[in-house]
Amino acid sequence: TIRPGLSDKNKLKIHRSSSKAVTALQSFTNASEALSYVRPSIIHPNVWNLSYIPANSDFLKLTPKEKLLPMLLSEWLIDEVKYFSFFIGQGRSGTTIVGVLMDAHPNMIIAKDYCLFLKWPQDADYHSNRTLLYTALHLQSLRMKFEMTKAPNNYTRRFQKKVTVIGEKEAGTDTELFWKNRTVWTAVFKELQMTVQVPIKVVLVVRNPYDQIATLTRIAVWEHEKSGEKFRRPIDSEYLIEDAIRRLFNISMQSALDIINTFNLDVLEVHLSNLIANPREEIGNWCKFFEVECYDWYVEMCIAYLYSKTHQTRHTLVWTSRLKQMVADNIKRFPWYKGYTFDSD
């Protein structure tokens, strides 16, 4: 929509980099200061590098924040939000692909790699302003879409009605921060609740733990090889595999379980193997969970984006009987791992 009183002559290009936009937005002292200058309007992705600004004969006299004011999400859009969401758990589980697909829904904004719980203490005044918080997540969502070489083609349908879900996907960092400092994490969570003033729902993406451990181990091997250390293939480094097992279960999964239980959160489990085998079922589950319409075109777009089968990286490691038993014992600790074995998807 175009704000009343502004003609096409006032259409001016805004710098394409949303990271600079977010930096400029941080200079606002409060939302009312920004909103008093101009009524903001949503940027449609088809014209996301265009914005309408107040009539001014000399554009160069405008400050950076004045040029970026129209990038703020409008109040009417923010007021439609019903749920805030973030991901918990460990990376390398399929969180990126699930986050991208959720973000592709026309009524959802799920920003990739924003690291909200890490950034909040660094600038609490900025993030505790709902308008600025939602705008930063929106800009991050747009930036990541255009940086990805392959992303769902949903731009023409974006925000066709309203946004009812907004949040971020950074499961690994946010969950690890809880393990490192529960006091700070809890304080951020409480401030987040006060800021968004809507129910908070969390997403936990579940992958076969043997594959997830293998992927974490392979990453550790690559890091060690940068310093000249050599490893055989398949990888038979027992100490690195044990370290990955501890990271997954004792840090990430235990922290995720504690977050859910401590704050009594409504959690959506997305099982990666089932998403690939039965995408309509899983996509329908998250649409129902977030109370958004499950459009046929949206489901088909998601299916086209998914890969055809799971990546069973477990076979890139040498698993001793002891290591397999360690994983099997830890699987019993977490309800979302029920039914997972070394031979299952």
Side-chain angles (χ1 to χ4, degrees):
T1 56
I2 300 176
R3 298 195 306 281
L6 294 178
S7 66
D8 287 344
K9 293 182 180 179
N10 293 320
K11 186 186 297 184
L12 296 171
K13 288 186 176 181
I14 297 298
H15 195 283
R16 183 167 174 166
S17 171
S18 66
S19 59
K20 291 186 178 181
V22 171
T23 300
L25 287 171
Q26 289 175 341
S27 63
F28 297 145
T29 57
N30 53 58
S32 60
E33 173 193 347
L35 297 174
S36 65
Y37 187 84
V38 60
R39 180 181 178 82
S41 67
I42 190 170
I43 299 177
H44 192 284
N46 285 345
V47 289
W48 75 287
N49 63 333
L50 300 177
S51 189
Y52 293 85
I53 66 170
N56 192 306
S57 58
D58 190 352
F59 180 70
L60 296 178
K61 290 182 180 180
L62 294 177
T63 65
K65 73 175 183 180
E66 288 172 337
K67 296 175 184 178
L68 292 165
L69 282 173
M71 299 185 79
L72 287 168
L73 293 185
S74 56
E75 287 184 319
W76 64 263
L77 187 73
I78 289 174
D79 289 339
E80 294 283 354
V81 174
K82 295 171 59 178
Y83 298 111
F84 189 90
S85 182
F86 60 88
F87 285 47
I88 57 174
Q90 173 62 267
R92 308 296 171 176
S93 61
T95 54
T96 295
I97 193 168
V98 173
V100 166
L101 295 181
M102 287 184 176
D103 191 41
H105 193 282
N107 307 124
M108 299 176 68
I109 296 175
I110 302 295
K112 180 178 181 289
D113 299 340
Y114 188 76
C115 303
L116 180 61
F117 284 82
L118 177 65
K119 290 182 178 179
W120 193 295
Q122 299 170 2
D123 199 342
D125 291 339
Y126 168 63
H127 288 103
S128 60
N129 184 302
R130 188 178 66 162
T131 301
L132 299 183
L133 170 63
Y134 284 7
T135 298
L137 293 174
H138 175 221
L139 292 172
Q140 177 73 356
S141 167
L142 289 175
R143 184 174 72 86
M144 297 308 297
K145 276 184 173 61
F146 282 87
E147 284 187 359
M148 293 179 67
T149 57
K150 180 183 178 184
N153 183 19
N154 70 315
Y155 306 134
T156 58
R157 300 174 188 264
R158 190 71 161 146
F159 306 137
Q160 61 184 11
K161 293 182 180 178
K162 58 185 177 182
V163 174
T164 56
V165 180
I166 192 166
E168 63 127 6
K169 177 224 70 77
E170 183 43 63
T173 301
D174 287 345
T175 306
E176 187 174 333
L177 285 172
F178 180 83
W179 174 74
K180 288 181 177 178
N181 195 326
R182 295 192 179 200
T183 302
V184 172
W185 199 100
T186 300
V188 170
F189 181 80
K190 290 180 177 179
E191 288 186 26
L192 176 63
Q193 285 181 308
M194 294 174 59
T195 300
V196 299
Q197 297 180 8
V198 294
I200 296 176
K201 295 190 172 190
V202 298
V203 178
L204 174 66
V205 182
V206 183
R207 182 186 181 190
N208 187 304
Y210 291 95
D211 289 328
Q212 200 164 357
I213 290 163
T215 303
L216 293 172
T217 303
R218 291 169 68 189
I219 293 172
V221 166
W222 294 333
E223 292 298 320
H224 280 267
E225 287 182 335
K226 288 180 181 178
S227 60
E229 194 171 351
K230 301 296 182 182
F231 293 86
R232 290 184 296 180
R233 300 294 194 274
I235 298 166
D236 62 354
S237 176
E238 197 162 326
Y239 80 94
L240 286 182
I241 299 174
E242 283 189 32
D243 182 63
I245 292 173
R246 285 192 291 267
R247 286 174 55 200
L248 177 62
F249 293 114
N250 295 347
I251 297 178
S252 298
M253 293 299 106
Q254 186 60 54
S255 296
L257 185 62
D258 291 345
I259 289 170
I260 294 168
N261 292 336
T262 302
F263 302 102
N264 194 28
L265 293 173
D266 195 4
V267 57
L268 170 70
E269 293 179 16
V270 179
H271 291 262
L272 183 63
S273 58
N274 194 50
L275 174 61
I276 294 172
N278 303 291
R280 287 182 173 82
E281 177 184 337
E282 286 289 342
I283 295 166
N285 286 343
W286 74 53
C287 287
K288 183 178 180 181
F289 179 78
F290 286 115
E291 299 177 23
V292 295
E293 187 171 346
C294 196
Y295 303 101
D296 290 337
W297 64 264
Y298 170 69
V299 174
E300 295 303 322
M301 179 187 64
C302 290
I303 292 173
Y305 183 75
L306 288 167
Y307 32 82
S308 59
K309 60 181 180 180
T310 57
H311 298 155
Q312 296 189 349
T313 54
R314 72 197 81 164
H315 300 300
T316 63
L317 305 187
V318 175
W319 292 89
T320 64
S321 298
R322 187 180 69 86
L323 290 172
K324 285 186 178 181
Q325 191 59 47
M326 283 182 64
V327 178
D329 291 341
N330 278 287
I331 283 176
K332 299 174 184 177
R333 297 167 51 194
F334 306 100
W336 49 79
Y337 281 137
K338 183 178 180 180
Y340 282 96
T341 68
F342 186 83
D343 298 316
S344 67
D345 288 336

